[in-house]
Amino acid sequence: MILVYVETSAEGVSEVSLETVSFARGLSAAGNGVPIDAVVAGPVPEGSASELAAYGVRTVHHADSDDFDRFSGAASAAAVVAAREAAGSVVVMAGGTNRGNEVMARVATQLDVAMAANVVSFGGLSPFVVTRQVVVGAALEEVKLSRRPAVFSIAGHAVDPTPAAEPAAGTVQPLAVELSAADLAVRVVSVEHAAEDDSGSLKTARIVVGAGRGAGGPDGFAGVVELAELLGGSLGVSRVVTSLGWRPHHEQVGQTGNRIAPEVYIPCGISGAIQHWAGCASSKVIIAINTDAEAPMMTKATYTVVGDMHEIVPAINEEIRRRRG
Amino acid sequence: MTNVLVCIKRVPDFSGEVLLSDDSQSADARFVGYTLSNHDSCAVELAVQVATATGGQATVLSVGAAESVEQIRSALGVGCGAAVIVEADPVTLGPADVAREVAAVVRDHEAGPDGGTAYDLVLLGNDAADSGDFQVGIRLAHELARPVVTGMQTATVTDGTVRLQGDGPEGRETYEVPLPAVVTVMEGGVEPRYPTITGRMKAKKITVETRPCAQAPAGSGRVRLTLPPPTPSSAELLGEGPEAATSVVDLLNRLGVGR
Ligand SMILES: Cc1cc2nc3c(=O)[nH]c(=O)nc-3n(C[C@H](O)[C@H](O)[C@H](O)COP(=O)(O)OP(=O)(O)OC[C@H]3O[C@@H](n4cnc5c(N)ncnc54)[C@H](O)[C@@H]3O)c2cc1C
Ligand SMILES: Nc1ncnc2c1ncn2[C@@H]1O[C@H](COP(=O)(O)O)[C@@H](O)[C@H]1O
């Protein structure tokens, strides 16, 4: 049996968790249709169970005591371990988010097995070999998971989230988890919801205008901020920009910043280092503006404009305003 | 007084192309050199901040090649007061091996002469820039039977409790954990300081404790490394300079986002 640790929010099942269940279906098919179960620690929002059913989940093991209201990595791991014992799973996986990786690492440590983070595909089943991203996907590592359960996380966007051809039952089953004082010692005390600013809600933005070192300094962002406003989009920046203190860190796109997936990303003066690419690779269309036609961002983009962003961006803004009258 | 242990990893400095060794077992860093994993630099910064604020000492530790002394020195240069290298061939190490070796040092130092050195706070990076295992801190906490919080960006210690903040899926999260504890750090909360001349001079005088592995490494299960196939560029040039603005706006309109 395959067990997936599913993350939910008030909006429902997270995209990464749906990707992970989709990955699990591939594994299930290779293993003669072994069933897929999910484990949720905390509230299961309305409609989530049927969504998981549509993705092929047989049983949703639901740890729903008040103890799970605020996140605790140890408590979530205890729920996963309890569900795995109840269902006898040989594979345990989660989406490769910070939480997913943390919970999988805790589960693996407790069960004294390995944990492979950010898996993109599986090779043989016996021995069980998975391929995972290292150096933010600039290289891949094939790693053998010889003990059971095989514990790993799935890299974001490694697979498309697709519903199953045949939905499964998606029966919600309460899961009793015995938690120790230690499991609850480390829990989120409070959450401060992020204030809206120039970055808007970057992660979910349909349009993102990006700016990197090419902006030239803290005063070099007026054009890109205006373009983002004109397009009703958000501003995203490279790490050089946040490191130099030109813009706040929460606007950063990349491995150690936000992962964005907009319809259109317009990176200006960003070279496109792998760590930046890791955060913007899921953009549907990329229009790159750069003085260097050979910059990695320019070769990976869908469309390019060669030249100085300080001339090109204001010209685009002007043209948009002109057409709007 | 809080004594802090901070664990750092020497990693190849990848921001451009990654090359592999001939046996596909490791990355070839001959052309790019080595650096500190970026989260680790922030962990060092937090270690120094906490030690300074509480009148304790920050000790820096690395498991791996003797050459890790380069990265150790940079941590000493910014205010760590002691250093340990557990020598091992980095290719042979898996995350569980590293955690076990760090735990061995913690226990050993705590049992040292004159009551030993107790590390109330152990800091690590959230994930290493090269292997990205996301687990050494969690395994270490398990070995030491201490609580662990992951992915934190700031840390302050008062009255035996560490208050931590980091970004969660729904906003800025705060944790408060009684010491001793293990914390893994993500960049973004603090700016690593640069070594001063006096800092560098002081660092030179500190003797780095060098020790062998407590146990033979079990490894990581690595079969081999590969490089993803290069994606051919299919970029379409819209134009050069500000004259391209018309084609850009045409395109935005076609994509349905310009109006
Ligand atoms: C472990 C690790 C994690 C990292 N995480 C991240 C991350 O999350 N996000 C991130 O972005 N980076 C990250 N980095 C850093 C990354 O490797 C790069 O250093 C960074 O992305 C480069 O930023 P940049 O493109 O703004 O600057 P540069 O690489 O310096 O590129 C500037 C670009 O601007 C162009 N340019 C200059 N002037 C102009 C002009 N007037 N008009 C138009 N174009 C111009 C140049 O041709 C160049 O292509 C990480 C690095 C490491 C090691
Ligand atoms: N060989 C090592 N020596 C010291 N610290 C390490 C070593 N490997 C990993 N770490 C620490 O553990 C963190 C997480 O690494 P990982 O779990 O491998 O992604 C790193 O950021 C370091 O702080």
Side-chain angles (χ1 to χ4, degrees):
Chain A
M1 212 261 323
I2 301 171
L3 183 65
V4 180
Y5 170 70
V6 165
E7 292 181 70
T8 60
S9 70
E11 285 92 59
V13 180
S14 79
E15 185 83 352
V16 195
S17 292
L18 293 177
E19 290 172 8
T20 307
V21 175
S22 305
F23 185 102
R25 282 212 316 278
L27 195 56
S28 160
N32 294 320
V34 288
I36 301 165
D37 281 12
V39 52
V40 179
V44 172
E46 178 108 9
S48 291
S50 51
E51 187 165 27
L52 289 170
Y55 275 75
V57 169
R58 176 188 66 171
T59 307
V60 181
H61 301 273
H62 183 204
D64 71 341
S65 87
D66 301 347
D67 290 334
F68 296 100
D69 285 356
R70 285 182 285 133
F71 177 76
S72 150
S76 299
V80 174
V81 170
R84 131 147 174 100
E85 268 162 23
S89 22
V90 290
V91 176
V92 178
M93 61 173 108
T97 58
N98 290 331
R99 294 229 154 134
N101 281 323
E102 171 179 351
V103 172
M104 289 304 100
R106 286 180 184 270
V107 167
T109 301
Q110 223 167 305
L111 301 176
D112 196 21
V113 298
M115 194 286 274
N118 293 321
V119 166
V120 292
S121 63
F122 61 93
L125 287 186
S126 57
F128 191 52
V129 175
V130 292
T131 299
R132 54 184 289 262
Q133 291 178 345
V134 290
V135 206
V136 258
L140 298 169
E141 178 189 31
E142 286 171 24
V143 50
K144 204 191 304 181
L145 298 173
S146 21
R147 311 255 280 277
R148 295 292 164 269
V151 178
F152 52 95
S153 70
I154 307 297
H157 309 299
V159 286
D160 285 331
T162 42
E166 289 287 322
T171 318
V172 179
Q173 206 165 78
L175 176 69
V177 187
E178 269 188 48
L179 295 175
S180 66
D183 290 332
L184 295 171
V186 176
R187 271 207 291 177
V188 173
V189 177
S190 63
V191 182
E192 197 184 302
H193 295 270
E196 289 286 316
D197 45 42
D198 288 346
S199 69
S201 40
L202 199 46
K203 285 189 181 108
T204 53
R206 273 187 67 230
I207 298 149
V208 176
V209 179
R213 194 198 299 272
D219 305 328
F221 292 84
V224 284
V225 167
E226 187 186 10
L227 179 56
E229 272 165 17
L230 286 169
L231 298 177
S234 299
L235 178 69
V237 301
S238 75
R239 188 167 77 146
V240 164
V241 167
T242 58
S243 295
L244 292 172
W246 296 353
R247 300 291 304 183
H249 181 266
H250 63 80
E251 292 179 356
Q252 183 175 317
V253 170
Q255 180 202 0
T256 49
N258 296 282
R259 310 244 161 161
I260 58 170
E263 306 279 326
V264 182
Y265 179 41
I266 311 180
C268 310
I270 295 180
S271 62
I274 41 172
Q275 294 88 357
H276 185 85
W277 186 252
C280 70
S282 306
S283 310
K284 294 217 173 60
V285 172
I286 296 180
I287 309 172
I289 300 176
N290 201 304
T291 42
D292 175 8
E294 304 298 318
M297 185 59 92
M298 297 287 272
T299 54
K300 288 174 173 169
T302 339
Y303 300 96
T304 60
V305 180
V306 180
D308 186 343
M309 61 183 279
H310 296 295
E311 294 173 7
I312 298 166
V313 175
I316 295 171
N317 294 344
E318 180 57 39
E319 180 65 15
I320 294 175
R321 269 184 273 129
R322 190 183 65 77
R323 292 197 197 182
R324 285 181 188 170
Chain B
M1 188 183 81
T2 308
N3 290 316
V4 189
L5 180 70
V6 56
C7 304
I8 63 169
K9 185 177 189 184
R10 170 184 164 89
V11 296
D13 187 358
F14 301 118
S15 12
E17 202 186 349
V18 175
L19 301 173
L20 300 182
S21 64
D22 290 338
D23 64 359
S24 299
Q25 288 302 303
S26 58
D28 182 351
R30 274 176 304 172
F31 304 108
V32 293
Y34 287 87
T35 179
L36 247 194
S37 207
N38 62 322
H39 299 313
D40 297 12
S41 315
C42 294
V44 168
E45 174 61 31
L46 284 175
V48 172
Q49 283 183 9
V50 169
T52 311
T54 62
Q57 175 167 272
T59 300
V60 56
L61 163 76
S62 193
V63 184
E67 290 80 5
S68 308
V69 73
E70 271 177 56
Q71 284 64 42
I72 292 275
R73 290 274 171 223
S74 68
L76 291 172
V78 294
C80 289
V84 187
I85 296 181
V86 180
E87 283 193 342
D89 177 359
V91 229
T92 63
L93 295 170
D97 298 317
V98 175
R100 201 187 45 242
E101 292 304 328
V102 177
V105 172
V106 171
R107 287 195 206 100
D108 208 38
H109 282 198
E110 293 193 348
D114 306 325
T117 305
Y119 298 111
D120 285 329
L121 185 61
V122 183
L123 298 178
L124 306 89
N126 186 70
D127 52 281
D130 56 351
S131 61
D133 292 310
F134 291 80
Q135 57 192 273
V136 171
I138 287 168
R139 290 191 185 271
L140 172 66
H142 187 78
E143 291 268 347
L144 297 172
R146 291 182 187 179
V148 54
V149 189
T150 65
M152 293 294 107
Q153 294 175 315
T154 61
T156 41
V157 171
T158 24
D159 302 330
T161 299
V162 61
R163 186 181 156 86
L164 304 153
Q165 288 201 316
D167 283 334
E170 260 135 45
R172 194 104 188 119
E173 293 177 343
T174 302
Y175 286 86
E176 277 165 8
V177 186
L179 298 177
V182 176
V183 175
T184 77
V185 174
M186 259 204 307
E187 76 165 358
V190 287
E191 204 42 61
R193 68 191 72 184
Y194 288 103
T196 57
I197 307 273
T198 42
R200 283 216 192 90
M201 301 293 282
K202 261 200 219 159
K204 282 209 185 112
K205 300 207 185 86
I206 298 169
T207 326
V208 178
E209 176 191 341
T210 306
R211 37 195 294 154
C213 279
Q215 216 174 303
S220 65
R222 172 174 295 173
V223 179
R224 63 182 180 133
L225 292 176
T226 59
L227 294 177
T231 34
S233 172
S234 56
E236 180 185 323
L237 179 68
L238 290 176
E240 288 184 26
E243 291 73 47
T246 335
S247 351
V248 173
V249 180
D250 287 345
L251 171 65
L252 291 174
N253 288 343
R254 278 207 303 284
L255 295 170
V257 300
R259 269 180 275 263

